[in-house]
């Protein structure tokens, strides 16, 4: 399992009985996690002294219960990147900290490249991968169907000092955007894809991962440049294994372009137990 060792402002303190105990800067949150099906003893006192806990509703969604006053938003740092954290509905905070291993991978490839890379970040959410790539010297096109998430990504870009870097912020359905880019003849040297399990585009387009993924990745092959660097595909869906995603990249990219494939779970180390919490899977094709 791939896991970052560079987090200082985030910590997975403990995980037990369907919940995570996490530190985001100075704020301690308790959030549900369906992967945490074990019932270990909760000995850490922060289980009883957190700032807030998210309770999931049986009818869908849920709400935050505040035990202490917390700001509407605050910042956390990852290496030389700064991101704004905001507790939102559906338990999220705007950052998936386990994704930092993928930011590091992209940064390493960009910095080692002997040329400027043009990166397409699809389902870009609040822009963490976009900002990491910009910091490393790439040109980035950031695409997400949510206007609010793209606005948040711009806030993160400003916080990290990369607002003046070469970036396009696009609010659009990713499939429709890629199809238009193909018609325009635009090409990208690297593609990052972090699709949700289920979602809706700005005009009500429905996305279901298992039904749409292969055709979507196949579509994305049409915007890859003649001298590509990598394609990174991430998934949070537990029913979709890393090997399946690696097979998709192998069929669509390695068969035609050569290069290497890799795949693995990504996760977070729990400081209380030393165990790693699985948080999804990533497959990478690299030229």
């Amino acid at each position: 399992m791939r896991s970052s060792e560079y987090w200082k402002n985030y910590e997975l303190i403990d995980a037990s009985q369907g919940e995570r105990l996490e530190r985001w800067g100075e704020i301690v949150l308790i959030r549900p996690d369906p992967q945490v099906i074990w019932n270990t003893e909760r000995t850490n006192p922060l289980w009883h002294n957190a700032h807030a806990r998210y309770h999931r509703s049986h009818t869908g969604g849920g709400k935050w219960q505040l035990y202490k006053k917390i700001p509407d938003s605050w910042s956390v740092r990852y290496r030389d990147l700064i991101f704004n954290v905001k507790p939102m509905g559906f338990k999220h905070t705007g950052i998936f900290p386990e994704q930092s291993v993928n930011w590091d991978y992209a940064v390493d490839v960009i910095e080692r490249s002997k040329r400027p890379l043009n990166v397409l970040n699809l389902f870009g959410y609040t822009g963490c991968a976009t900002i990491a790539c910009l910091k490393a010297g790439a040109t980035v096109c950031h695409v997400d169907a949510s206007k609010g998430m793209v606005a948040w990504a711009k806030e993160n870009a400003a916080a990290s000092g990369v607002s003046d870097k070469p970036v396009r912020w696009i609010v659009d359905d990713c499939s429709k955007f890629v199809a238009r880019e193909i018609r325009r003849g635009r090409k990208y040297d690297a593609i990052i894809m972090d699709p949700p399990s289920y979602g809706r585009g700005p005009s009500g387009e429905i996305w279901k991962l298992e039904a749409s993924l292969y055709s979507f990745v196949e579509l994305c092959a049409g915007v890859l440049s003649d001298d590509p660097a990598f394609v990174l595909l991430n998934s949070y869906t537990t029913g979709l294994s890393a090997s399946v995603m690696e097979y998709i990249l192998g069929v669509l990219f390695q068969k035609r372009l050569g290069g290497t494939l890799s795949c693995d779970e990504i996760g977070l180390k729990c400081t209380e137990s030393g165990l790693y919490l699985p948080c999804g899977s990533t497959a990478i094709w690299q030229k």
Side-chain angles (χ1 to χ4, degrees):
M1 182 181 293
R2 296 165 59 227
S3 179
S4 175
E5 304 297 329
Y6 296 110
W7 274 109
K8 305 296 183 187
N9 280 173
Y10 171 83
E11 178 187 7
L12 177 60
I13 302 167
D14 199 6
S16 176
Q17 301 173 38
E19 293 182 308
R20 306 179 181 195
L21 178 67
E22 303 170 295
R23 178 179 61 82
W24 299 84
E26 300 299 319
I27 306 297
V28 176
L29 303 177
I30 299 173
R31 297 191 296 156
D33 191 310
Q35 293 275 40
V36 185
I37 63 173
W38 52 88
N39 294 331
T40 51
E41 188 177 358
R42 297 183 174 189
T43 58
N44 194 298
L46 288 175
W47 280 111
H48 307 287
N49 198 31
H51 290 79
R53 172 185 251 128
Y54 187 86
H55 294 281
R56 195 181 296 281
S57 170
H58 295 298
T59 58
K63 64 180 181 179
W64 289 94
Q65 179 182 6
L66 299 183
Y67 302 124
K68 303 175 186 179
K69 186 176 180 179
I70 62 174
D72 292 334
S73 67
W74 65 96
S75 296
V76 297
R77 178 183 290 272
Y78 179 75
R79 308 184 83 173
D80 60 347
L81 309 175
I82 299 174
F83 305 124
N84 294 325
V85 176
K86 303 175 189 178
M88 336 160 25
F90 299 100
K91 79 176 183 179
H92 297 306
T93 62
I95 303 174
F96 292 97
E98 69 277 359
Q99 285 296 316
S100 55
V101 292
N102 289 333
W103 313 335
D104 291 340
Y105 166 80
V107 165
D108 181 62
V109 174
I110 292 165
E111 290 181 342
R112 287 191 292 105
S113 178
K114 300 187 186 307
R115 59 194 171 95
L117 296 183
N118 191 14
V119 178
L120 177 60
N121 185 16
L122 298 168
F123 309 96
Y125 197 49
T126 60
C128 298
T130 292
I131 292 158
C133 291
L134 289 171
K135 275 273 190 181
T139 297
V140 184
C141 180
H142 174 105
V143 187
D144 196 276
S146 168
K147 184 177 180 180
M149 292 302 105
V150 173
W152 192 338
K154 292 179 181 179
E155 292 176 13
N156 285 336
S160 290
V162 295
S163 293
D164 60 338
K165 302 295 184 182
V167 57
R168 287 196 296 155
W169 304 106
I170 306 294
V171 179
D172 203 351
D173 173 78
C174 288
S175 295
K176 289 183 176 180
F177 176 78
V178 171
R180 282 198 300 274
E181 292 290 87
I182 292 172
R183 292 194 295 270
R184 293 170 183 140
R186 283 207 177 104
K187 299 291 183 178
Y188 296 89
D189 303 308
I191 303 174
I192 297 171
M193 293 173 272
D194 193 8
S197 299
Y198 178 86
R200 288 185 179 272
S203 300
E205 304 89 348
I206 295 176
W207 166 273
K208 292 183 179 179
L209 185 67
E210 289 89 342
S212 306
L213 186 61
Y214 185 86
S215 60
F216 177 74
V217 178
E218 186 176 33
L219 180 70
C220 289
V223 293
L224 204 60
S225 73
D226 294 333
D227 188 17
F230 69 88
V231 176
L232 187 153
L233 175 61
N234 186 75
S235 172
Y236 301 95
T237 303
T238 55
L240 193 63
S241 74
S243 296
V244 168
M245 296 193 300
E246 181 185 59
Y247 179 71
I248 292 172
L249 297 187
V251 169
L252 294 175
F253 299 103
Q254 188 185 43
K255 200 170 184 180
R256 176 168 57 93
L257 299 168
T260 61
L261 290 169
S262 63
C263 69
D264 207 343
E265 285 186 299
I266 60 173
L268 297 166
K269 186 177 182 179
C270 182
T271 54
E272 189 77 10
S273 64
L275 301 176
Y276 286 83
L277 174 65
C279 300
S281 300
T282 300
I284 298 170
W285 170 82
Q286 183 171 332
K287 188 69 170 69

